Amino acid sequence: MGDGINDAPALHTADVGISVNSAVDVAKEAADIVLLDQDLNVLCDGIIEGRKTFTNTMKYIFMATSANFGNMFSMAGASLFLPFLPLLPKQILLTNLLTDFPEMTISSDKVDDINLKTPQRWNLGFIKRFMIVFGLLSSVFDYLTFAVLIFILHANQRVFQTGWFTESVVSAVLIVLVVRTRLSFFKSLPGKYLSITTIAILLLVLMIPYSPLASIFGFVTLSWKYYMLMLATVTAYILSAELAKRWFYKKIK
């Protein structure tokens, strides 16, 4: 910290140089931060906001990378044994559009106190491990959905595509609530906008097969039996993700 000409070299050398608005020009130019008010609490507020921004950015990266990796793995695997496309291109685009809406509200999500106590750092290796673990976990339940559609419901192409689309969007939207925090979901509730968009997308995806959009995207109505089986699958997925999360962060520590 400094405000005089003789402080300029130290301000320039320091990791973070701090000056005030009433300092000489050379000191302000050398400083990284110039305080407009005589209050160091501004720095504390800035640090907290920076950690919140970093944490929410990492949430989006974790969810986007793991979801994309899992969907790619599921799509590639399904293409090996299905005589038709698992999803049509327009259905994939709709899936991406619907799942992106809740993730866009991550910037306003609540941040746990554990993420504010210490500085957070970029760790590419950690991101890769997270992507693989939770991406493969999502694929496991995608393949379970495939088994339900093929061996239990004996689904044709349109029923299969509608079933996987529904399960994929519902599970992707709900899993955001689990992987967004290191804590248990019930101990770290999501922010207001994330909650609203999650509920809205869930209702929308369940209504699409019964709306005029169904014919546009090639969907058909599904039986109540499938929805019961999907509910069991998604519930098992969420519980498994919660357990995997505890194991993952415990192993990382």
Side-chain angles (χ1 to χ4, degrees), residues 193-209:
Y193 297 110
L194 178 57
S195 301
I196 292 173
T197 52
T198 297
I199 295 172
I201 294 301
L202 287 176
L203 294 175
L204 179 60
V205 74
L206 294 175
M207 292 170 55
I208 285 177

Side-chain angles (χ1 to χ4, degrees), residues 44-207:
C44 295
D45 295 338
I47 291 171
I48 295 299
E49 287 302 316
R51 291 179 181 177
K52 287 181 179 179
T53 301
F54 183 86
T55 299
N56 285 336
T57 301
M58 293 305 297
K59 290 179 186 179
Y60 182 86
I61 293 174
F62 288 152
M63 289 180 289
T65 54
S66 60
N68 290 336
F69 177 76
N71 288 337
M72 177 194 69
F73 194 79
S74 299
M75 183 72 73
S79 301
L80 295 177
F81 61 85
L82 288 177
F84 49 81
L85 291 175
L87 285 177
L88 299 177
K90 58 186 177 181
Q91 295 169 347
I92 295 175
L93 291 175
L94 181 61
T95 300
N96 290 336
L97 176 65
L98 293 177
T99 54
D100 280 346
F101 272 107
E103 293 183 2
M104 287 192 295
T105 63
I106 287 295
S107 59
S108 62
D109 191 27
K110 296 178 181 178
V111 177
D112 301 329
D113 290 339
I114 191 174
N115 297 115
L116 302 179
K117 291 180 180 179
T118 58
Q120 308 295 313
R121 299 183 183 277
W122 176 265
N123 188 334
L124 186 58
F126 183 88
I127 296 173
K128 289 180 180 178
R129 291 191 292 271
F130 191 98
M131 175 189 71
I132 293 172
V133 170
F134 289 91
L136 291 178
L137 180 64
S138 69
S139 289
V140 168
F141 287 91
D142 280 338
Y143 286 118
L144 181 59
T145 301
F146 298 162
V148 168
L149 289 167
I150 295 173
F151 299 112
I152 297 179
L153 300 180
H154 307 288
N156 58 27
Q157 177 179 345
R158 297 187 69 181
V159 172
F160 183 95
Q161 291 169 346
T162 306
W164 190 29
F165 164 80
T166 304
E167 184 274 339
S168 180
V169 176
V170 170
S171 62
V173 170
L174 290 178
I175 205 64
V176 169
L177 306 180
V178 176
V179 301
R180 56 172 284 279
T181 175
R182 294 191 178 200
L183 303 177
S184 171
F185 163 70
F186 298 103
K187 294 182 179 179
S188 177
L189 298 179
K192 178 177 68 174
Y193 297 110
L194 178 57
S195 301
I196 292 173
T197 52
T198 297
I199 295 172
I201 294 301
L202 287 176
L203 294 175
L204 179 60
V205 74
L206 294 175
M207 292 170 55

